[in-house]
Amino acid sequence: MKDVRGTKLSVGERVCIQEDIPTVNGMLYKNTICKIESFDTKKVQVQDRSGKLWWVGYNQVSASFL
């Protein structure tokens, strides 16, 4: 699986969120650093620093953030 810039993603890797993502459980803000937990065919599950799990699209994360 690849992110928005074509970088290959793997479980346990840190990624940066590229846009604000509003949900019924709260807001995942742009430039938040998250850790990849699992993959699906169209989405990736990430965990933020507070421990919340989020399903986001591959076009909403980037592995090249530094």
Side-chain angles (χ1 to χ4, degrees):
M1 302 301 171
K2 296 187 177 191
D3 68 354
V4 69
R5 298 183 186 192
T7 306
K8 187 175 178 180
L9 300 174
S10 60
V11 174
E13 186 176 358
R14 294 189 320 159
V15 293
C16 182
I17 303 300
Q18 296 297 302
E19 59 188 61
D20 290 339
I21 304 170
T23 67
V24 294
N25 296 327
M27 176 78 99
L28 185 58
Y29 291 101
K30 181 179 181 179
N31 297 325
T32 301
I33 305 299
C34 297
K35 184 175 82 170
I36 297 175
E37 292 294 320
S38 65
F39 294 108
D40 194 1
T41 56
K42 296 187 180 198
K43 294 190 175 193
V44 60
Q45 186 179 35
V46 297
Q47 181 179 18
D48 64 5
R49 291 190 178 192
S50 68
K52 279 188 172 181
L53 295 173
W54 307 84
W55 284 100
V56 297
Y58 288 105
N59 61 342
Q60 295 174 322
V61 297
S62 174
S64 55
F65 54 89
L66 296 176

